[in-house]
Structures are given as C-alpha cells and as structure tokens.
Amino acid sequence: MFEQDRSAAVMGVTGGAGATRLTVELATTLARDGRDVAVFDAAFATQGLSQYLHGRIDADLTRLLTDEEVTPEAAMVDLQVDTSGDVSVCPTYAPFERIARAKSGEAAERFGQELRDATVAYDHVLVDTPPVADNPSIAAVSATDTVACVVPSSKRGVDTLARTRDRLADLGVEPHRVVANGAAAPATGDSTPVESADVAVPESDVRGVTDAPVCIEDATGPFARSIATTAEAVFETQLDVEFPKEGLRTRLSF
C-alpha cells in the first residue's frame, strides 16, 4: 500500500534533541493520512513516551522483551488522537531492575524481531531512539528501514552529528535523514543552521506534553506543515494532508 520504507528510528544525536516529541508528532501526522502507526520507546533512561499516554500502563516494552507471556498487543496503548488512522504506543515504564534485564543482548534480539514483525501489523513503525550507546538503541537503528537523526539547531547539535555519523558507521548503519529540530525563523538568526539537514522543524509555541501533539491542535500552522514535510522525507512517501495554499510547505533539498 505504501512505499518500501515502513519503519524508522527517530534518533536524537544528543540528549534533549527533541526526538520523543518529534516521534509523537510524526506518528500523529501519519495517522492524519489514515495510516496505522506503532511507536516504540527505546529510550529506557528517560521513558519519555509514557508521559504522552493517559491511564494506567500495565505492560510495557521491557515486559514484552523479558516476559514470554506478554504479547505485543498487551504492551500497546492507544495514543487517543482524533485521526482517521490509529497510533499505538509501546512505552517504557519500568523499574531499574527490569530495565537492566531488557538491555541484555537476548532482549535486544527480540526487540529487533518485534520491530520487524510490527511492520506487518502496521503501516508504519517509529522508534523513539536515544543516542546510540546500548543494546536497545543499537537494535532500533539496525532493525528499521530508515534512521532519522534529530539534531538541535545549535552548535552542540552540529558538533554531535559528526560523532553520531561515525558511531553509526561502526555499526554499518547509514543515517538516511537529518532533521534540524527547533530551527529558528531565518529573520531571527538566533540558531546555528545544520547545513547537512534534509528538513527543518521550527520551534512550536507549545512546549509541554499535555498540549501535544501540536499537529492536531494547530493542524494548518507552520509547525504542522513542517512535520508533514518531515514525515514525507523520512518515509519517502506522499501524504494526502491538506494545508491552505498560502501555507505551502518549505522544503530543504534532499
């Protein structure tokens, strides 16, 4: 039904790059186009995706990877967004002891297989991925079709991107897309441009978790348009999401 790239690791090149928020916005935008999306949380240290969910989390990703009796369906939680497609989230929400077991080599192999299996059950799979440093993050970038490196639009982000490329090369993984996150408007000039970025996402007025995803609350604004452009770039696809003519998406070459 859709193009070859079905899964993507949305990887922050450094802590605080905004990969978690971007993952949620991308998943919701794909769902606006009627696509069913699964989102996995490989950021075991921060467990950020759990903050976007409502209600109790009974089974999470770490239980899925360490307990043979837990099924993928049991570990999925509905993001509860008003879209024609569904967004199902497999969060990480666990004590330190279970996180330690979920970081084992055996658990990483199962994680990779779960990601590949999910591409059969869903139209797209997204993985909120921290900087590559442990087995879950290595599994995420190795088992997905595409790696999108999320780079803060700052000198720190630019410097870290080079090191990230080297680390991915050591794993035999290519960063397919570079996303400059939090890019300032050209007139302000208060951010460092990421020259190698394929697409740029501006800052949104909404920063808190409770008001996200912004692409639903402000579905025609510049932030939502940039997220749609990013989704198209990451998955090499075309979305049937309408925007006003005066708000055409601005693309960087890729």
Side-chain angles (χ1 to χ4, degrees), residues 1-4 6 33-36 122-124 237-238:
M1 181 177 180
F2 303 111
E3 284 72 7
Q4 182 177 359
R6 301 280 298 281
D33 193 38
R35 309 186 187 200
D36 293 333
Y122 297 87
D123 297 316
H124 293 291
T237 189
Q238 293 291 319

Side-chain angles (χ1 to χ4, degrees), residues 207-250:
R207 297 176 181 271
V209 170
T210 57
D211 295 319
V214 175
C215 63
I216 294 294
E217 299 300 323
D218 184 14
T220 61
F223 181 80
R225 293 194 298 271
S226 70
I227 293 294
T229 297
T230 302
E232 290 180 340
V234 169
F235 288 103
E236 296 186 341
T237 189
Q238 293 291 319
L239 299 180
D240 187 16
V241 179
E242 295 185 357
F243 293 93
K245 291 183 179 180
E246 64 270 23
L248 293 177
R249 288 177 286 204
T250 301

Side-chain angles (χ1 to χ4, degrees), residues 1-144:
M1 181 177 180
F2 303 111
E3 284 72 7
Q4 182 177 359
D5 291 343
R6 301 280 298 281
S7 59
V10 182
M11 187 188 70
V13 301
T14 184
T20 301
R21 167 73 176 280
L22 186 61
T23 301
V24 171
E25 298 285 353
L26 287 171
T28 304
T29 296
L30 290 165
R32 287 182 64 191
D33 193 38
R35 309 186 187 200
D36 293 333
V37 185
V39 182
F40 291 82
D41 189 358
F44 287 6
T46 57
Q47 307 184 34
L49 278 177
S50 63
Q51 300 177 52
Y52 291 86
L53 303 175
H54 304 284
R56 179 172 174 171
I57 300 174
D58 292 317
D60 74 330
L61 178 58
T62 63
R63 283 195 60 194
L64 177 63
L65 300 182
T66 59
D67 187 342
E68 293 291 340
E69 295 184 0
V70 175
T71 64
E73 293 76 16
M76 287 293 184
V77 181
D78 186 2
L79 186 58
Q80 298 182 11
V81 289
D82 185 15
T83 54
S84 53
D86 294 326
V87 179
S88 300
V89 178
C90 186
T92 294
Y93 190 74
F96 180 80
E97 180 273 333
R98 194 164 73 232
I99 288 176
R101 288 190 288 118
K103 286 185 174 183
S104 70
E106 181 180 358
E109 290 182 6
R110 182 172 181 184
F111 186 27
Q113 188 58 53
E114 292 292 349
L115 293 177
R116 288 185 285 270
D117 290 346
T119 62
V120 178
Y122 297 87
D123 297 316
H124 293 291
V125 176
L126 290 165
V127 188
D128 177 20
T129 309
V132 176
D134 57 13
N135 283 330
S137 57
I138 292 172
V141 300
S142 301
T144 50

